[in-house]
Each structure stands twice: as structure tokens, then as C-alpha cells.
């Protein structure tokens, strides 16, 4: 009986992930890519490490993560990490605004990442050439 | 007289940067690449925005920045941002250790970035499969 319960619960957890296209596309696939790990193994990791409640909330976490982690990528891709945090050529406030603008352009307004980045780059150049 | 002083000072500032190969290679060139801006214009920005004392210290800042900003790149490239900060599948302490190991492998032990990253990836997989 316990074994059956455990199996059902595992199956339920698999289904929570596999039935949610957003989780699959925005969480499982990207993690599978960076870790160079088959998609099924990534799903298994989440199933083993998270309880059902957490898996149900994965969608919300994923949206936060997408915004937050993209912000860090923008920092790297635009050199904001160097220009603002270490050399102080751009104020932290301006860096925050530029990062936010690029992230929103891409995620909320669906601009291709390269175009969104280009907008940010122009804002940086304006500030640096002031 | 004032004009001459200003010109000498500017020239001195240009020289501080241009005579320092480390600054050129580790600061000016990378920023020139991310901003898609000619090298001379990047030098000019630093000359205009920084005083001589800051330029003399650029070397030290640059080393800190290289370590710090590479850490953020590792976060992105290994998905640590997702796995640790947002999904909690890897503890913050473990994520810090893995990030540090990759950064040190590449910067201190001169391993190619891809190899250093691969070491980090293996550590992550070990933790996730525990």
C-alpha cells in the first residue's frame, strides 16, 4: 500500500511538470541545455528534490527566475558589471534602469534579445559620452 | 598656462592607460567588444571620467572586476542562478563554492574557460543526483 502510494505520488509529480508547457519550455529545457543533461533526467531531479506543492508553484518561481537571471545575463552582455559595479562609470541607479529596460523589452514586449540589448547599449553610450 | 596644464594632464592620463598592457587587454578591449565601440573611444571615456589616481588604481579594480564579473557569467553559463537562487536545488553555499572553483580554475590556474566550466558542471550534477 505504501509502495503504491509512493508510486502514485511520484507519477503525480511527473505529471505536474510534464503537463505544464511553460515549466517544460522555460525551466526544464533551459536547465537541460546548460547542464547538457537529457530532459527526462532534469524532470527526474525536480521530481526527486521537490514536493508537489513546490512543483505546483514552479510556474511563479520560473517567471521570477526568468526576469532575475536574464538581468544577470544583461549585466554580462552589456558590460554593466564592469562599468557600474567595479569602475563606477555608470551609476548603480542608471545600471538598474538599463537592465530593467532590456529585461522588460525582451520578456514583456517579446523583442528579440539582441534588439533589446541594442537598446540598452545605446543608453549606455549616451551616458558614457555625456 | 591652464590650457597647457589641462592638455598635459589629459596626455598623462592617456599614457597611464595605453602604457599598461594589463589594463588594455583586460579592461579596454573587453569593454570595447561588449559595447561595440572602437578602442580609442573606450580609452577616451576612461580619460574623461576618471582622475589620474583612479586610473593608476585601475589595475587592482580590474582584477577584482575580472573575478567578480566572471562569477556572474559562471552563474548564467551553469544555470546556478536558476538552480540555486530561484529553485533551491543547490544550496547557496555549494553554489558559491562551485562558482569560486570555476573562476579560480580559469583565472588563477589558466584553464580554458570551457574546461573550467565543465568541472563546475560535474560538481553540479553530483549534487543534483545525490
Amino acid at each position: 500500500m505504501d509502495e503504491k502510494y509512493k508510486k502514485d505520488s511520484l507519477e503525480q509529480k511527473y505529471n505536474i511538470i510534464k503537463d505544464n508547457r511553460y515549466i517544460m519550455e522555460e525551466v526544464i529545457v533551459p536547465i537541460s541545455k546548460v547542464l547538457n543533461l537529457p530532459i527526462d533526467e532534469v524532470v527526474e531531479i525536480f521530481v526527486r528534490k521537490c514536493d508537489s506543492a513546490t512543483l505546483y508553484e514552479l510556474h511563479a518561481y520560473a517567471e521570477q527566475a526568468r526576469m532575475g537571471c536574464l538581468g544577470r545575463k544583461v549585466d554580462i552582455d552589456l558590460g554593466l558589471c564592469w562599468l557600474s559595479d567595479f569602475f563606477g562609470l555608470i551609476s548603480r541607479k542608471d545600471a538598474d534602469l538599463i537592465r530593467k529596460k532590456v529585461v522588460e523589452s525582451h520578456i514583456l514586449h517579446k523583442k528579440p534579445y539582441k534588439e533589446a540589448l541594442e537598446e540598452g547599449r545605446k543608453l549606455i553610450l549616451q551616458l558614457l559620452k555625456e
Side-chain angles (χ1 to χ4, degrees), chain A:
Chain A
M1 189 64 178
D2 265 10
E3 274 307 305
K4 186 176 180 320
Y5 175 76
K6 219 165 152 186
K7 203 183 145 219
D8 282 356
S9 162
L10 269 183
E11 213 172 286
Q12 184 204 17
K13 291 210 273 178
Y14 272 103
N15 290 338
I16 296 172
I17 295 182
K18 294 213 160 173
D19 289 349
N20 189 325
R21 217 179 103 188
Y22 184 85
I23 300 291
M24 285 302 285
E25 284 175 8
E26 302 298 339
V27 181
I28 305 297
V29 172
I31 290 178
S32 150
K33 277 188 193 157
V34 287
L35 293 182
N36 194 18
L37 205 65
I39 285 181
D40 280 346
E41 289 189 35
V42 178
V43 173
E44 203 193 309
I45 286 166
F46 274 90
V47 165
R48 273 194 304 104
K49 298 244 173 191
C50 304
D51 56 28
S52 299
T54 306
L55 293 180
Y56 275 120
E57 281 167 10
L58 222 49
H59 190 116
Y61 286 123
E63 281 193 62
Q64 283 173 38
R66 245 186 116 199
M67 305 279 280
C69 299
L70 185 68
R72 286 195 217 172
K73 189 164 159 50
V74 172
D75 270 5
I76 301 292
D77 291 342
L78 288 179
L80 279 176
C81 176
W82 291 74
L83 296 168
S84 174
D85 295 7
F86 287 94
F87 298 130
L89 296 181
I90 284 180
S91 73
R92 225 161 257 252
K93 203 179 137 201
D94 284 333
D96 287 346
L97 283 173
I98 292 169
R99 183 186 310 109
K100 195 163 168 262
K101 198 173 157 45
V102 175
V103 169
E104 287 183 356
S105 260
H106 178 56
I107 293 191
L108 303 182
H109 307 304
K110 317 280 180 206
K111 273 211 180 146
Y113 181 60
K114 277 208 167 173
E115 280 177 33
L117 216 52
E118 185 55 27
E119 290 174 359
R121 200 182 70 86
K122 280 185 187 148
L123 290 173
I124 291 176
L125 291 187
Q126 260 177 34
L127 289 170
L128 290 178
K129 292 188 170 181
E130 244 170 22

